[in-house]
């Protein structure tokens, strides 16, 4: 992470980056670029399934370094868009497409993105947030208060578990 100050224990100081709703010109493109790098490039997810019909109506969040370099992204689905992912409960949002660039991993960016999505969910009156976690990331989400439920399943050829956190 050249040029960015590191804080204690590998965490970037909050002043070194910001997490915001992707509303500025170019923010959505930056979100999609991070997803392409992480999911398509690193994990081999086919590009035609990485971007979906939910993207246009989703709330996207973006973490950017002070110099404008994108560090990570995530999205929140609610209502009908989330229904199939959360068992049909309209009070539950769906957190997804959380991706942090290789250079920013372990610096607190992922947790900051999750907190921003949870704040947006609370502001929309949602009672809980569900997500489908890659099994290697279960401990990360557990540290943030998510609880796994249901059996393991494959998504894009990778093992996942459903998780939920009450807000």
């Amino acid at each position: 992470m050249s040029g960015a100050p590191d804080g204690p224990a590998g965490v970037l100081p909050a002043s070194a980056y910001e997490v915001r709703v992707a509303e500025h010109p170019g923010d959505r493109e930056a979100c999609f670029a991070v997803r392409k790098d992480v999911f398509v490039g690193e994990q081999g997810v086919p590009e035609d399934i990485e971007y979906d019909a939910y993207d246009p109506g989703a709330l996207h969040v973006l973490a950017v370094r002070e110099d404008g370099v994108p560090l990570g992204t995530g999205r929140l689905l609610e209502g009908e868009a989330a229904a199939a992912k959360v068992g049909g409960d309209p009070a539950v949002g769906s957190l997804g497409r959380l991706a942090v660039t290789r250079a920013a991993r372990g610096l607190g960016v992922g947790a900051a993105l999750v907190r921003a999505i949870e704040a947006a969910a609370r502001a929309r009156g949602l009672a809980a947030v569900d997500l489908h976690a890659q099994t290697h990331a279960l401990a990360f989400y557990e540290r943030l208060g998510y609880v796994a439920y249901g059996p393991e399943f494959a998504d894009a050829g990778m093992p996942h578990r459903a998780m939920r956190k009450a807000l």
Side-chain angles (χ1 to χ4, degrees):
M1 183 131 209
S2 64
D6 288 339
V11 176
L12 280 172
S15 62
Y17 68 93
E18 73 168 326
V19 176
R20 63 181 183 239
V21 173
E23 296 175 326
H24 302 298
D27 278 358
R28 285 231 175 167
E29 291 80 12
C31 291
F32 296 156
V34 169
R35 285 169 46 184
K36 183 174 183 176
D37 181 47
V38 173
F39 295 126
V40 177
E42 289 181 34
Q43 298 182 356
V45 173
E47 197 165 353
D48 63 326
I49 67 170
E50 172 51 33
Y51 308 102
D52 60 26
Y54 300 118
D55 278 324
L59 175 130
H60 297 265
V61 294
L62 177 66
V64 292
R65 214 167 55 187
E66 285 178 323
D67 61 4
V69 172
L71 301 175
T73 187
R75 75 177 186 189
L76 174 67
L77 303 177
E78 60 181 317
E80 286 185 35
K85 297 176 181 289
V86 302
D89 187 340
V92 179
S94 176
L95 184 159
R97 301 304 202 265
L98 188 75
V100 176
T101 62
R102 186 183 310 258
R105 289 182 198 145
L107 302 175
V109 174
L113 288 162
V114 170
R115 285 191 297 273
I117 291 169
E118 291 170 353
R122 276 188 204 92
R124 287 162 172 69
L126 298 176
V129 172
D130 263 28
L131 57 87
H132 294 164
Q134 293 179 15
T135 55
H136 72 83
L138 288 171
F140 166 77
Y141 289 111
E142 287 169 346
R143 285 191 300 274
L144 296 173
Y146 288 81
V147 177
Y149 67 91
E152 187 174 294
F153 61 93
D155 188 3
M158 292 174 273
H160 284 69
R161 291 279 312 274
M163 302 185 84
R164 179 172 287 189
K165 178 179 180 179
L167 299 177

